[in-house]
């Protein structure tokens, strides 16, 4: 088992590193070069990320504090110290976010015909319309709940937005408190007002008012005969992590369903957000009723729940957002598209099956620049329909709701093929979706399994077995991202299509391991967690150390989401001191200090934040002039290396290896979306200055749009 070889001053706290990542996301909203609606999007992403952070990470720390745990983290902080530092770091970020929304975003959108108005700013025709809308579409679903000795404090569900109303009985003079939940599930957060009710010149493109304000300024309808003295908004975040023991499949599904019902309302409150102007007596009532401590209270100078700014992205205003990138079919797969034959764009005699292409060469896919639909989905669709295909096996971690892949697996089963799907029920916040898919697949004859006891199956793999000339040949896809049509357009990911026998045999044995009938301890080509991945990565790093010590150049280039594993970090420090040149591209958390004398002076870290979420993992090792590269689903984190099933594959074809090298170089030369990590752990954004702007994501879009992928 790994042991922490680091002293606390050589390790950056992972929670604080995550906050630093989310700060870089928020900085995209502040950047004047970011189109206005994309500024709203990045602000929404920041808030959505923060919600999950509180529901999982902060909730975990609070549970440790309540249990009396004082064991320090790798950087020497107790759980309580971490909670206090998290709060200290977040408050100024929240203030900056609200200042940007109130003083920059709203006014700039207004200048472009998008009016986000407060209720008090509405003109008479607009106010008449929204009041009628309230009575017809909102009022019937509202349930005001009084709080008094006869009515205990009502339960407030997770992530709910609420109106706290202070009302008075004019006959008795008694003041009361009531809570009204804002119905967000079936109503938009920002209610659009028809253009004909605007008196502005020129007529705005879009005018909207917050849903909660429609309720707040119509409270007299909810409390007839009472005097509404004041109203305030508040928002609650609860512990939403599911505590699951190592259960068998049926028990696990039952436990998950019970846990999901609990999550919908939530566990203990971990955050209470209130407006800054809320009086102390109302705050105290909420804190008492919700059992909230002072450190869980966040006073906000503006609207709560800015994740709802996501709703603005759907506005048909292309000039206010990044140009939509649609991706293209990989050139090598251009003649493999069955739908083009059906449409008449390709003659039947010109069609070439995807299996024919894969027999001739490995194919490296790069999404979203190359279409997921015409590569991975085409592979699985052709496998489902090909009479020579005997079986399909794949893992499903997060997939889209209307998934063509699910349809293909069902069709394959109906076509008499042996189909096995490993559905990971414990994929956080996708558990419910995965339970539904698992049941649907089982009903349609697909053999569904739920992975290895005690481990989360995170690997992204497909195995297709095809009968050819009385022999069985394996075709594989091994990727860095989920089999998800939606996120494939938003995340950058890599995948390898191959018919190499060693990879096929490795996947055969890996799937046997996943079904529980194998104790496989070695693989031909793949590095598999928790069996060989940690040792394999450590061995590859140590090989670079040996190259450097023997006078050959040692070099490592790696790209991943997060780097927090203490033992890998300690080994990278050792490699740096041995003279190995290490370039790391880390999008999210990084617990390593780069560029420190006598520790990490040969290590550089850059983070890329852009239009797409960087999700691909690449591990490149110089190997004394004979480089090797790997791609896969794992980050350098303990959970990936020790507590999940992961698969990392070598990319051996020389031309594909060159593509990965050029891709890494493109990221490292970025001067628009890149942030350099300094030796104190802080990040500074690169700026082109007098140089030509090099935005790696835009460069990749341009290359693929011109039909000139990296080669």
């Amino acid at each position: 088992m790994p042991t922490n070889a680091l002293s606390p001053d050589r390790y950056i706290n992972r929670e604080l590193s995550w906050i630093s990542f989310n700060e870089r996301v928020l900085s995209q909203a502040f950047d004047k070069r970011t189109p206005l609606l994309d500024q709203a999007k990045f602000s929404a992403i920041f808030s959505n990320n923060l919600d999950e952070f509180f529901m999982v990470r902060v909730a975990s720390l609070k549970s440790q504090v309540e249990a009396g745990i004082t064991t320090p983290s790798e950087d020497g902080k107790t759980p309580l110290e971490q909670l206090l530092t998290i709060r200290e770091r977040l408050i100024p970020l929240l203030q900056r976010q609200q200042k940007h929304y109130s003083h920059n975003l709203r006014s700039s959108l207004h200048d472009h015909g998008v009016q986000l108005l407060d209720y008090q700013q509405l003109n008479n025709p607009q106010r008449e319309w929204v009041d009628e809308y309230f009575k017809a579409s909102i009022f019937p679903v509202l349930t005001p709940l009084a709080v008094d000795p006869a009515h205990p404090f009502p339960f407030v569900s997770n992530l709910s937005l609420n109106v706290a109303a202070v009302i008075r009985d004019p006959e008795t003079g008694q003041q009361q408190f009531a809570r009204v939940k804002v119905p967000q599930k079936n109503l938009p957060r920002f209610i659009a007002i028809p253009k004909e009710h605007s008196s502005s010149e020129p007529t705005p493109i879009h005018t909207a008012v917050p849903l909660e304000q429609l309720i707040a300024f119509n409270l007299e309808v909810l409390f007839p005969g009472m005097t509404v003295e004041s109203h305030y908004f508040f928002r609650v975040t609860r512990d939403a992590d599911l505590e699951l023991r190592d259960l068998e499949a049926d028990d696990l599904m039952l436990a998950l369903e019970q846990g999901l019902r609990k999550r919908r309302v939530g566990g203990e409150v971990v955050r209470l957000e209130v407006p800054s102007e809320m009086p102390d007596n109302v705050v105290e009532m909420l804190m008492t009723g919700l059992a909230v401590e002072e450190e869980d209270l966040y006073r906000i100078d503006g609207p709560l729940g800015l994740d709802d700014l996501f709703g603005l992205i759907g506005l048909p205003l292309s000039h206010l957002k990044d140009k939509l990138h649609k991706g293209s079919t990989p050139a090598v797969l251009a003649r493999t598209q069955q739908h083009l034959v059906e449409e008449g764009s390709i003659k039947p005699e010109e069609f070439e099956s995807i299996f024919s292409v894969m027999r001739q060469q490995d194919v490296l896919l790069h999404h979203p620049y190359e279409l997921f639909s015409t590569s991975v989905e085409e592979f699985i669709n052709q496998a489902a329909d090909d009479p020579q295909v005997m079986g399909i096996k794949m893992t499903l971690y997060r997939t889209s709701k209307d998934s063509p892949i699910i349809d293909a697996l069902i069709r394959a089963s109906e076509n008499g093929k042996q189909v096995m799907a490993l559905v990971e029920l414990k994929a956080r916040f996708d558990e419910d979706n995965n339970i539904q898919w698992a049941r649907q697949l089982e009903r349609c004859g697909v053999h569904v399994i739920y992975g290895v006891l005690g481990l989360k199956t995170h690997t992204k793999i497909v195995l297709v077995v095809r009968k050819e000339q009385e022999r069985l040949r394996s075709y594989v896809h091994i990727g860095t991202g989920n089999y998800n049509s939606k996120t494939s357009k938003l995340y950058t990911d890599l995948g390898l299509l191959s018919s190499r026998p060693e990879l096929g045999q490795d996947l055969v044995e890996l799937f046997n391991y996943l079904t529980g009938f194998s104790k496989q301890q070695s693989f031909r080509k793949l590095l598999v967690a928790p069996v060989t991945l940690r040792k394999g990565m450590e061995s590859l790093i140590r090989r670079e150390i040996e190259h450097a010590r023997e006078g050959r150049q040692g070099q490592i280039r790696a790209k991943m989401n997060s780097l927090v594993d203490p033992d890998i970090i300690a080994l990278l420090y050792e490699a740096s001191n041995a003279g190995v040149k290490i370039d790391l591209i880390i999008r999210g958390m990084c617990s390593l200090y780069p560029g420190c004398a006598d520790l990490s002076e040969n290590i550089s870290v850059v983070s890329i934040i852009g239009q797409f979420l960087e999700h691909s993992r690449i591990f490149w090792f110089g190997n004394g002039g004979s480089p090797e590269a790997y791609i896969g689903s794992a980050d350098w984190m303990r959970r990936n290396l020790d507590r999940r099933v992961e698969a990392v594959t070598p990319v051996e074809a020389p031309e594909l290896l060159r593509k990965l090298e050029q891709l890494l170089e493109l990221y490292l030369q970025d001067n628009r979306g890149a942030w350099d990590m300094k030796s104190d752990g802080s990040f500074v954004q690169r700026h082109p200055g007098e140089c030509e702007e090099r935005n790696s994501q835009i460069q990749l879009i341009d290359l693929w749009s011109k039909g000139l992928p990296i080669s």
Side-chain angles (χ1 to χ4, degrees):
M1 291 296 293
T3 56
N4 188 348
L6 291 175
S7 58
D9 60 342
R10 296 186 172 191
Y11 188 91
I12 298 172
N13 181 276
R14 60 166 287 165
E15 318 300 353
L16 302 184
S17 183
W18 183 91
I19 291 173
S20 180
F21 154 66
N22 211 27
E23 181 178 5
R24 297 194 293 279
V25 172
L26 184 60
S27 294
Q28 292 292 107
F30 301 158
D31 195 320
K32 294 180 180 179
R33 298 171 296 179
T34 304
L36 284 175
L37 291 181
D38 286 309
Q39 290 183 26
K41 177 187 74 175
F42 281 109
S43 192
I45 293 172
F46 170 82
S47 291
N48 186 70
N49 288 349
L50 205 54
D51 286 344
E52 291 193 9
F53 179 71
F54 271 91
M55 288 190 290
V56 178
R57 302 302 306 178
V58 171
S60 174
L61 289 170
K62 284 181 64 63
S63 295
Q64 292 177 50
V65 172
E66 290 166 8
I69 295 173
T70 57
T71 305
S73 56
E74 283 83 358
D75 65 319
K77 290 183 176 62
T78 66
L80 179 58
E81 289 172 334
Q82 292 180 73
L83 284 173
L84 295 175
T85 310
I86 285 168
R87 177 182 174 83
E88 182 182 327
R89 288 280 300 274
L90 284 178
I91 286 176
L93 292 182
L94 293 167
Q95 291 171 341
R96 290 176 62 198
Q97 181 192 28
Q98 289 291 343
K99 182 178 179 182
H100 171 260
Y101 173 77
S102 301
H103 296 91
N104 299 96
L105 184 60
R106 283 181 69 183
S107 58
S108 297
L109 286 171
H110 192 282
D111 292 342
H112 287 82
V114 178
Q115 298 183 348
L116 301 179
L117 302 179
D118 292 322
Y119 185 90
Q120 301 97 315
Q121 296 176 291
L122 301 178
N123 60 35
N124 287 333
Q126 290 171 330
R127 190 169 296 190
E128 289 174 7
W129 184 88
V130 299
D131 288 347
E132 285 301 316
Y133 180 87
F134 168 81
K135 293 174 184 176
S137 302
I138 303 174
F139 172 64
V141 300
L142 297 180
T143 304
L145 297 173
V147 179
D148 56 36
H151 300 86
F153 198 93
F155 184 86
V156 181
S157 55
N158 186 31
L159 299 182
S160 63
L161 185 60
N162 305 269
V163 182
V166 180
I167 58 178
R168 188 176 297 275
D169 187 328
E171 295 181 0
T172 65
Q174 183 179 0
Q175 189 184 68
Q176 287 184 293
F177 172 82
R179 171 254 184 167
V180 182
K181 181 178 179 179
V182 178
Q184 294 171 278
K185 187 173 182 180
N186 298 313
L187 290 168
R189 173 69 182 278
F190 296 96
I191 303 298
I193 301 173
K195 292 181 181 179
E196 59 265 27
H197 297 284
S198 175
S199 59
S200 304
E201 292 294 340
T203 302
I205 298 169
H206 179 77
T207 302
V209 63
L211 170 62
E212 67 270 23
Q213 292 190 20
L214 266 67
I215 298 170
F217 285 95
N218 280 280
L219 286 173
E220 68 279 359
V221 180
L222 284 168
F223 303 102
M226 305 291 282
T227 301
V228 179
E229 294 191 334
S230 57
H231 68 259
Y232 308 95
F233 307 115
F234 68 97
R235 186 172 184 263
V236 162
T237 310
R238 292 181 177 272
D239 179 351
D241 203 18
L242 302 181
E243 294 183 10
L244 298 168
R245 300 180 303 277
D246 294 341
L247 302 171
E248 298 293 345
D250 291 343
D251 294 333
L252 175 60
M253 184 173 285
L254 178 62
L256 273 167
E257 289 178 317
Q258 293 172 344
L260 288 169
R261 284 193 289 272
K262 176 183 174 183
R263 176 191 284 167
R264 289 185 188 107
V265 291
E268 293 187 7
V269 175
V270 294
R271 178 179 55 168
L272 170 63
E273 298 169 272
V274 302
S276 297
E277 66 272 14
M278 181 180 280
D280 289 343
N281 65 317
V282 179
V283 173
E284 289 169 8
M285 181 181 294
L286 289 174
M287 291 179 65
T288 301
L290 294 167
V292 168
E293 304 291 336
E294 185 67 35
E295 59 265 24
D296 304 324
L297 177 68
Y298 285 80
R299 293 182 179 269
I300 306 297
D301 294 319
L304 310 179
L306 286 181
D307 57 307
D308 289 319
L309 290 174
F310 274 125
L312 298 178
I313 295 298
L315 293 176
L317 303 170
S318 58
H319 61 293
L320 296 183
K321 44 190 168 183
D322 277 324
K323 184 179 177 181
L324 183 65
H325 174 65
K326 296 182 179 180
S328 59
T329 299
V332 70
L333 301 180
R335 295 197 297 127
T336 68
Q337 305 302 304
Q338 185 65 49
H339 71 279
L340 295 181
V341 177
E342 296 166 1
E343 295 168 2
S345 301
I346 295 178
K347 295 178 181 179
E349 61 270 21
E350 295 175 344
F351 175 78
E352 183 178 17
S353 80
I354 201 165
F355 303 109
S356 174
V357 172
M358 292 171 66
R359 284 195 297 272
Q360 299 168 47
Q361 60 186 299
D362 288 352
V363 180
L364 183 66
L365 305 170
H366 194 189
H367 313 299
Y369 312 106
E370 292 177 308
L371 288 168
F372 185 77
S373 59
T374 59
S375 54
V376 178
E377 286 179 3
E378 185 68 23
F379 172 50
I380 297 171
N381 272 314
Q382 289 193 27
D385 298 326
D386 189 325
Q388 292 177 254
V389 168
M390 310 299 290
I392 303 172
K393 298 182 180 183
M394 75 177 300
T395 57
L396 294 171
Y397 190 73
R398 302 184 195 276
T399 191
S400 49
K401 290 192 175 180
D402 298 319
S403 173
I405 287 176
I406 298 292
D407 292 340
L409 294 178
I410 292 172
R411 194 169 69 252
S413 179
E414 292 171 347
N415 287 339
K417 305 180 191 310
Q418 294 294 314
V419 182
M420 187 275 277
L422 187 149
V423 181
E424 179 48 75
L425 296 181
K426 301 187 293 295
R428 184 177 286 137
F429 300 117
D430 273 300
E431 299 97 340
D432 198 10
N433 191 40
N434 286 2
I435 287 173
Q436 303 312 314
W437 281 134
R439 286 186 167 149
Q440 182 177 344
L441 288 167
E442 284 182 324
R443 285 195 298 267
C444 296
V446 174
H447 182 54
V448 178
I449 61 171
Y450 303 106
V452 180
L453 197 65
L455 299 173
K456 184 179 285 188
T457 303
H458 188 250
T459 183
K460 284 70 170 148
I461 51 176
V462 179
L463 171 68
V464 173
V465 179
R466 192 169 186 265
K467 190 173 184 180
E468 299 174 1
Q469 298 176 343
E470 301 306 316
R471 298 179 60 185
L472 296 180
R473 181 191 286 267
S474 296
Y475 297 84
V476 307
H477 174 267
I478 304 167
T480 68
N482 297 306
Y483 295 112
N484 187 308
S485 305
K486 181 179 178 181
T487 57
S488 71
K489 300 171 184 175
L490 305 172
Y491 295 7
T492 71
D493 272 304
L494 293 163
L496 182 70
L497 290 170
S498 178
S499 65
R500 291 180 182 252
E502 303 96 332
L503 291 179
Q505 192 59 37
D506 274 354
L507 283 199
V508 168
E509 294 173 359
L510 177 53
F511 274 110
N512 286 340
Y513 171 82
L514 293 172
T515 56
F517 296 107
S518 166
K519 295 183 179 181
Q520 193 79 14
Q521 294 300 308
S522 63
F523 295 86
R524 296 157 186 79
K525 293 289 185 179
L526 295 182
L527 298 177
V528 174
V531 184
T532 62
L533 180 56
R534 176 181 287 280
K535 289 181 180 178
M537 284 294 169
E538 290 177 349
S539 175
L540 289 165
I541 296 170
R542 292 190 186 282
R543 188 177 65 183
E544 295 305 311
I545 294 174
E546 291 305 311
H547 282 307
R549 286 175 176 165
E550 293 176 12
R552 297 182 295 274
Q553 184 180 15
Q555 188 176 11
I556 298 170
R557 286 184 166 181
K559 177 180 183 292
M560 66 199 82
N561 294 340
S562 298
L563 167 58
V564 297
D565 183 80
D567 293 283
I568 293 289
I569 290 172
L571 196 54
L572 291 173
Y573 286 153
E574 181 183 341
S576 174
N577 283 328
V580 179
K581 178 74 168 64
I582 304 171
D583 298 308
L584 302 174
I585 304 164
I586 313 291
R587 187 250 302 164
M589 296 180 292
C590 180
S591 294
L592 172 148
Y593 284 102
C596 296
D598 301 322
L599 177 67
S600 59
E601 53 197 306
N602 288 311
I603 303 177
S604 69
V605 176
V606 63
S607 175
I608 305 290
I609 307 291
Q611 177 179 350
F612 306 123
L613 182 134
E614 289 293 338
H615 193 255
S616 58
R617 288 91 162 183
I618 309 171
F619 308 97
W620 182 92
F621 303 91
N623 192 28
S626 301
E628 295 180 4
Y630 297 77
I631 64 169
S633 55
D635 293 314
W636 282 345
M637 301 177 68
R638 275 181 174 162
R639 70 183 189 189
N640 298 99
L641 299 172
D642 303 325
R643 300 194 299 273
R644 289 184 172 184
V645 178
E646 307 275 9
V648 173
T649 181
V651 177
E652 297 181 316
E655 67 277 12
L656 302 188
L657 181 61
R658 285 195 297 273
K659 282 187 177 184
L660 290 178
E661 291 171 344
Q662 291 169 353
L663 180 59
L664 289 168
E665 184 65 24
L666 197 68
Y667 282 124
L668 292 168
Q669 294 301 317
D670 189 303
N671 62 13
R672 170 61 179 87
W675 294 70
D676 285 312
M677 190 177 186
K678 299 302 180 182
S679 58
D680 62 355
S682 63
F683 282 82
V684 176
Q685 189 173 18
R686 291 180 185 174
H687 290 276
E690 300 298 321
C691 302
E692 180 183 2
E693 182 174 289
R694 296 187 298 274
N695 183 325
S696 55
Q697 293 188 353
I698 298 300
Q699 286 177 302
L700 289 165
I701 289 173
D702 290 343
L703 284 169
W704 260 272
S705 66
K706 295 172 184 175
L708 299 170
I710 292 177
S711 60

